[in-house]
Amino acid sequence: CKKNNNIEDEINSIPINISFERFDKKFYNIDSFKLKDLKKEYYYLFPEKFDDIVWVNRRKDSLQLILKNAIEKKFNNFNNIENEVNHLFKHLKYFFPKIKIPKIVTLINNVDYQSKIIYLDTLILLSLDTYLGKNHEVYNGIPSYIKYDMDISFLSSHIVDKLLIRKINYPKERTFLSQMIYFGKKLYLKEKLLPHQGDFVTIGYSKDELNWAQSNELYIWKYFIENELLYDTDNELNRRFLDPSPFSKFYLEIDNQSPGRIGRWIGWQIVRSFMKKNSETKIEDLILKPGEELFIKSGYKPKL
């Protein structure tokens, strides 16, 4: 505990101060809207193929105004959110010293939940209209498993997701095991980068879904072993156990009770087991560790 506290003290002393640039406010500000100035400052948000009339009309579009009003109501103060993001980037700087500290620009993007965040090395584009909360009326019609994490409490987790795509190479091996461990590494790193967030935020489960995964870990693992899935290369296994979905697909009565992406959760437990047995392993070495070798050295064996 003392070692962990010392590390946290060191991390907290890293001088980082990120504030959000509210492009969304500037764009919809009636009193001081100057398109020419905005296009010069935020050139990357104004593709040349579109005439100015497109942006003028966008400011009057009924859907855009509904989203603008919803954002103004939801996000009248960004202090806590900025503090959380600064805390995240202190951890990122500690574990990845060469990382560049980005500028964060907020915007409205037609509730494009597949592009909540765009990470461009020194720039993060943050679509505030995808973080209004899972029960917001503008999300009616979006499947529950998708809108569950359309909440600002998942912002730091989503930023880490985008970053780790660049840090952890997708495995060349096509086995189900190697892909589970790939996702397990990402979740383990998120756990370290977001130490004050619960496991349910790290993986994007509800508390009930997390409880189900924990209670059924042994039975999930037995299913994978008894059906000889670990070294299977069938891409269908991704859809069943790794891809976002309302539930995992064992093709059993328990399916509707299970959370989606259960293979990622098992991969996380394997990586946790490896790091518990090999606690001196550095993060950069963990990232490069081949999946099968990590699995063998993990001694992973879930208990009742």
Side-chain angles (χ1 to χ4, degrees):
C1 289
K2 185 176 181 181
K3 180 181 178 182
N4 288 337
N5 288 337
N6 289 339
I7 291 174
E8 279 298 305
D9 288 341
E10 185 178 346
I11 289 172
N12 287 326
S13 69
I14 297 174
I16 288 176
N17 185 21
I18 300 173
S19 58
F20 291 14
E21 290 191 19
R22 295 295 305 274
F23 171 80
D24 60 300
K25 274 194 169 185
K26 293 178 182 179
F27 186 80
Y28 290 98
N29 191 314
I30 296 173
D31 298 324
S32 62
F33 175 70
K34 295 180 180 179
L35 181 59
K36 184 178 179 180
D37 292 344
L38 281 178
K39 288 178 70 174
K40 184 176 180 180
E41 184 177 1
Y42 299 97
Y43 59 91
Y44 45 84
L45 295 177
F46 294 93
E48 291 183 2
K49 63 181 179 179
F50 295 120
D51 293 331
D52 287 356
I53 192 64
V54 171
W55 310 115
V56 173
N57 289 337
R58 186 183 182 93
R59 296 178 70 249
K60 298 181 288 185
D61 180 82
S62 57
L63 173 60
Q64 300 301 310
L65 293 176
I66 288 171
L67 295 175
K68 167 187 169 290
N69 292 334
I71 287 170
E72 287 179 350
K73 185 176 181 180
K74 177 74 175 180
F75 301 112
N76 57 5
N77 189 313
F78 266 81
N79 291 339
N80 290 338
I81 300 168
E82 288 178 345
N83 288 338
E84 180 187 323
V85 172
N86 274 285
H87 190 250
L88 165 63
F89 273 92
K90 287 174 184 284
H91 283 78
L92 284 167
K93 195 69 175 176
Y94 179 82
F95 288 106
F96 302 104
K98 294 182 180 179
I99 191 174
K100 297 176 182 177
I101 304 305
K103 176 170 68 174
I104 300 180
V105 176
T106 65
L107 43 80
I108 297 173
N109 195 28
N110 296 317
V111 195
D112 183 0
Y113 54 78
Q114 293 183 318
S115 301
K116 298 186 188 77
I117 292 173
I118 297 175
Y119 199 130
L120 301 168
D121 193 32
T122 59
L123 174 67
I124 289 177
L125 301 179
L126 168 59
S127 299
L128 289 179
D129 52 322
T130 61
Y131 286 99
L132 296 172
K134 65 180 180 180
N135 295 320
H136 200 282
E137 59 188 9
V138 300
Y139 298 158
N140 290 344
I142 298 176
S144 296
Y145 77 95
I146 291 176
K147 64 184 180 182
Y148 173 73
D149 66 353
M150 295 176 72
D151 187 278
I152 202 64
S153 63
F154 289 95
L155 174 59
S156 290
S157 180
H158 293 163
I159 291 175
V160 176
D161 281 334
K162 293 293 185 180
L163 175 79
L164 292 182
I165 291 174
R166 301 168 177 225
K167 297 295 182 183
I168 306 177
N169 292 328
Y170 197 78
K172 295 179 181 178
E173 302 84 0
R174 294 175 53 243
T175 65
F176 182 49
L177 174 65
S178 66
Q179 293 180 77
M180 280 200 298
I181 291 176
Y182 164 75
F183 287 110
K185 288 179 181 179
K186 291 179 70 174
L187 289 166
Y188 182 83
L189 284 175
K190 285 177 73 173
E191 178 184 351
K192 294 301 175 186
L193 293 167
L194 302 168
H196 304 301
Q197 306 259 20
D199 285 1
F200 64 96
V201 173
T202 301
I203 193 168
Y205 279 174
S206 68
K207 291 184 178 180
D208 287 342
E209 288 174 330
L210 183 63
N211 287 337
W212 190 95
Q214 292 170 335
S215 299
N216 291 277
E217 182 180 356
L218 174 63
Y219 305 107
I220 298 164
W221 185 244
K222 285 178 67 176
Y223 179 89
F224 290 169
I225 295 297
E226 291 172 359
N227 288 275
E228 300 180 345
L229 300 185
L230 296 191
Y231 296 98
D232 198 324
T233 58
D234 186 353
N235 287 332
E236 178 69 8
L237 294 174
N238 294 0
R239 187 182 67 83
R240 293 173 61 189
F241 301 114
L242 297 172
D243 295 343
S245 60
F247 53 84
S248 295
K249 300 169 182 67
F250 298 91
Y251 302 136
L252 299 170
E253 291 183 5
I254 63 169
D255 280 13
N256 288 335
Q257 303 169 35
S258 70
R261 298 172 288 122
I262 200 67
R264 299 190 188 193
W265 190 82
I266 291 293
W268 187 13
Q269 308 320 303
I270 293 172
V271 175
R272 277 176 159 177
S273 180
F274 170 83
M275 290 302 291
K276 187 174 182 180
K277 288 181 176 292
N278 303 272
S279 58
E280 299 305 313
T281 302
K282 296 180 179 179
I283 291 297
E284 54 265 34
D285 295 328
L286 171 65
I287 288 173
L288 297 173
K289 184 73 67 179
E292 186 172 359
E293 179 185 344
L294 186 152
F295 170 61
I296 292 170
K297 290 183 177 180
S298 73
Y300 175 69
K301 191 176 182 179
K303 300 176 181 178
L304 273 175

